[in-house]
Amino acid sequence: MTKKLYIKTYGCQMNVYDTERMVDVMAPEGYQVTDKPDDADLVVLNTCHIREKAAEKVYSDIGRIRQMKEKHNREGRDMVLAVGGCVAQAEGGEIMKRAPAVDMVFGPQTYHRLPDMVNRAITAKAAGRKPRILDTDLSVDEKFDSLSRKQVERKSSAFLTVQEGCDKFCTYCVVPYTRGAEFSRSVEDVMNDARRLAEAGVVEVTLLGQNVNAYHGLTVSGEEWSLARLIRELAKDPGFRRIRYTTSHPADMSEDLIRVHAEVEECMPYLHLPVQAGSDRILKAMNRHHTAESYRRIIEELRRARPDIALSGDFIVGFPGETDAEFGETMHLVRDIGYAQAYSFKYSARPGTPAAVMDDQVPEDVKAARLAELQAELSRQQVAFNENTVGRVMPVLLERRGKETGQLVGRSPYMQAVHVTLPNKEDVAALFGQIVDVKILAAGPHSLKGEVVGPAQAGQPAA
Ligand code: SAH
Ligand code: SF4
Ligand code: F3S
């Protein structure tokens, strides 16, 4: 009998990828995905612990699902409620105490054991016992070996996790604690997954890792491959048309990787390279292992290698002790660099991290004012970047259907969403999943509109 699985994904792309793998491992157990939690036999919340707001959201969602669960019970049905991901890793025991409706708590390195955990929960329930399953083991080595892509992907663009965890220990960040130590998958595993994706029709791959440019996977003969090497090979075999990677750390931006941007046509001219702040004193207190100057130099070299490269970043305002002048240095850096897109956050004190107990926590209203100022500048830059593409012809990977009939939505090389409308149905079917040349006609803050002017010759921007 088929059963229904509902998974809600919070947080970063690593979680998006992990959710897909959970769907893969549950499929042979008879679980089919539903988008309605109320229909589900198994509800999984794949959670994020990065900021307080993200973590608190989980508890309100648990409350909502608990009501559905109680309704199910009154109707004589049952539901397994499971909390996975980074909140599970960080506060597993507390979730169990605070939310008795939760049957299972499991951390990011345990997903290969999900079917077993679910079966144990169901067995316990059948025997009239309350399941209390908690698995927050952090040893990473087994996770990916046992997860394979059982489902055939029907997408033109896919994520591929090549590296997990983080040893950088930025003083504000929970990731080293929730994801564990840095770990690179073997070259063979990555290549096997890559070939499987390519065979299923994937033309764009995004290599994922918390610090993906620290990748250092081993081949069967014990040779170590950097991310640069991996990208060069993936461009040849299996020959992806577009290759992206995220998230990178400035301290791991090697010369060779910068050269890849100049030499590998398939490597997209877009890079997410978080800097967090523009003040060296703050960067040091954050334990970032780079300065504002070293970041500027990297960007210069990237632009020399690939003049049309567009940048994205992450920023934190109101780190403990940040003065107005130091925040001003962040604004200065942002104006100098010029971003196509960016994420910015108010510093959020996270339990167990060094920064949470630092003196001089910045008042909430000061953080809010700084964030508003920074976001105004970043969105001005984003609008300007988008408007700059009007009139240009760019290759766009048409990857999903739009809301209107005949509409397809794709991504430019710079990750902009591009909407095109096609006059007849046959074109919609024929161009779905393809890279085509699109002339950009109009730009909004978050998306572009264009018309198809012909198939692209390569996965590269035209003039
Ligand atoms: N590994 C990546 C991303 C980590 S989390 C990297 O090192 O860049 C994504 C972003 O969340 C970070 O880049 C940072 O800007 C933000 N972030 C992390 N911890 C935070 C905290 N405690 N408060 C506010 N923002 C935070
Ligand atoms: Fe967090 Fe820093 Fe590691 Fe990024 S590099 S995941 S911000 S500790
Ligand atoms: Fe959040 Fe965990 Fe990703 S804390 S940002 S889901 S690694």
Side-chain angles (χ1 to χ4, degrees):
M1 198 188 75
T2 65
K3 292 181 219 145
K4 294 263 165 59
L5 162 65
Y6 171 82
I7 307 192
K8 176 163 177 182
T9 311
Y10 311 67
C12 65
Q13 285 124 333
M14 307 284 287
N15 266 10
V16 174
Y17 176 88
D18 284 346
T19 287
E20 289 171 7
R21 301 289 75 73
M22 285 193 250
V23 170
D24 288 353
V25 288
M26 294 312 289
E29 309 285 314
Y31 283 86
Q32 257 172 22
V33 174
T34 169
D35 55 6
K36 294 188 211 70
D38 203 15
D39 289 347
D41 302 285
L42 170 63
V43 169
V44 176
L45 305 178
N46 189 9
T47 62
C48 173
H49 200 242
I50 201 82
R51 284 166 292 274
E52 193 181 348
K53 244 201 220 152
E56 281 307 310
K57 179 122 207 336
V58 174
Y59 286 100
S60 61
D61 283 345
I62 290 174
R64 217 164 38 86
I65 306 239
R66 191 197 64 212
Q67 288 174 357
M68 292 178 197
K69 200 174 162 179
E70 285 164 359
K71 194 184 88 190
H72 276 211
N73 285 342
R74 285 194 299 274
E75 292 165 357
R77 295 187 285 157
D78 203 6
M79 172 195 278
V80 174
L81 174 53
V83 178
C86 293
V87 179
Q89 189 65 41
E91 335 185 323
E94 202 190 321
I95 298 174
M96 285 289 196
K97 267 194 239 128
R98 225 175 118 178
V102 173
D103 300 302
M104 273 170 49
V105 173
F106 59 111
Q109 307 306 351
T110 67
Y111 299 154
H112 52 294
R113 291 194 286 271
L114 186 58
D116 173 54
M117 287 188 263
V118 171
N119 287 333
R120 271 160 48 210
I122 291 171
T123 311
K125 279 165 180 276
R129 280 182 286 119
K130 165 89 187 90
R132 309 289 286 166
I133 294 160
L134 177 67
D135 187 347
T136 50
D137 185 7
L138 264 184
S139 49
V140 76
D141 27 318
E142 282 176 65
K143 175 178 173 184
F144 288 110
D145 299 347
S146 348
L147 292 187
S148 64
R149 289 166 184 265
K150 297 193 179 73
Q151 280 189 328
V152 179
E153 305 265 344
R154 287 192 202 289
K155 285 188 300 188
S156 44
S157 179
F159 291 143
L160 173 50
T161 293
V162 299
Q163 181 269 352
E164 266 221 62
C166 181
D167 290 337
K168 293 273 192 296
F169 288 95
C170 299
T171 52
Y172 51 82
C173 185
V174 293
V175 170
Y177 313 97
T178 62
R179 291 269 166 180
E182 197 185 296
F183 170 85
S184 292
R185 296 180 66 202
S186 76
V187 167
E188 194 186 11
D189 283 356
V190 170
M191 289 314 247
N192 283 342
D193 275 6
R195 288 190 194 105
R196 222 171 293 157
L197 289 175
E199 276 161 23
V202 168
V203 294
E204 175 182 270
V205 71
T206 302
L207 307 176
L208 293 184
Q210 284 307 338
N211 272 301
V212 73
N213 57 344
Y215 177 80
H216 54 104
L218 294 177
T219 64
V220 259
S221 58
E223 193 190 352
E224 194 173 276
W225 281 22
S226 63
L227 184 70
R229 175 79 188 270
L230 189 62
I231 292 172
R232 288 182 201 277
E233 300 292 334
L234 288 171
K236 281 186 248 159
D237 166 33
F240 291 112
R241 303 270 303 277
R242 288 178 159 198
I243 302 173
R244 303 179 186 275
Y245 59 97
T246 198
T247 300
S248 297
H249 192 289
D252 293 314
M253 214 56 224
S254 71
E255 279 174 30
D256 194 22
L257 186 54
I258 293 173
R259 264 200 308 277
V260 162
H261 282 274
E263 294 167 7
V264 180
E265 218 192 6
E266 292 79 5
C267 182
M268 287 290 99
Y270 179 87
L271 183 64
H272 183 67
L273 193 64
V275 64
Q276 314 299 353
S279 144
D280 287 344
R281 194 189 73 83
I282 294 295
L283 288 170
K284 192 151 198 290
M286 287 176 163
N287 193 32
R288 282 291 294 180
H289 304 283
H290 64 80
T291 62
E293 185 49 37
S294 67
Y295 181 82
R296 282 174 205 265
R297 260 203 318 275
I298 292 165
I299 303 292
E300 262 170 43
E301 284 167 26
L302 278 162
R303 286 187 164 145
R304 216 172 301 138
R306 186 73 209 237
D308 65 338
I309 198 164
L311 295 154
S312 157
D314 287 349
F315 300 89
I316 296 176
V317 300
F319 183 82
E322 186 187 66
T323 63
D324 280 338
E326 285 163 343
F327 168 66
E329 293 180 67
T330 301
M331 291 299 295
H332 190 161
L333 181 77
V334 167
R335 283 192 205 100
D336 285 353
I337 301 284
Y339 288 90
Q341 195 266 340
Y343 301 95
S344 49
F345 313 98
K346 286 187 279 189
Y347 166 73
S348 168
R350 306 306 293 129
T353 60
V357 291
M358 284 180 187
D359 295 336
D360 300 329
Q361 297 285 327
V362 174
E364 197 52 36
D365 57 332
V366 175
K367 286 192 226 175
R370 287 180 190 167
L371 186 67
E373 189 181 336
L374 174 60
Q375 289 187 337
E377 174 61 23
L378 289 169
S379 58
R380 198 192 58 70
Q381 293 188 356
Q382 183 169 338
V383 168
F385 180 83
N386 286 348
E387 282 174 353
N388 223 355
T389 57
V390 175
R392 285 182 54 183
V393 174
M394 294 195 287
V396 171
L397 171 57
L398 298 171
E399 57 185 2
R400 62 188 167 89
R401 282 169 206 282
K403 286 197 190 96
E404 290 155 34
T405 41
Q407 196 182 50
L408 287 176
V409 189
R411 293 270 168 200
S412 77
Y414 309 115
M415 290 295 280
Q416 296 152 297
V418 183
H419 297 248
V420 298
T421 304
L422 297 159
N424 59 56
K425 263 197 201 149
E426 295 78 57
D427 286 346
V428 175
L431 295 184
F432 188 84
Q434 303 290 314
I435 299 173
V436 294
D437 274 347
V438 172
K439 181 165 188 192
I440 306 304
L441 302 173
H446 304 291
S447 66
L448 310 175
K449 267 204 176 72
E451 65 180 355
V452 176
V453 292
Q457 297 309 307
Q460 288 297 295

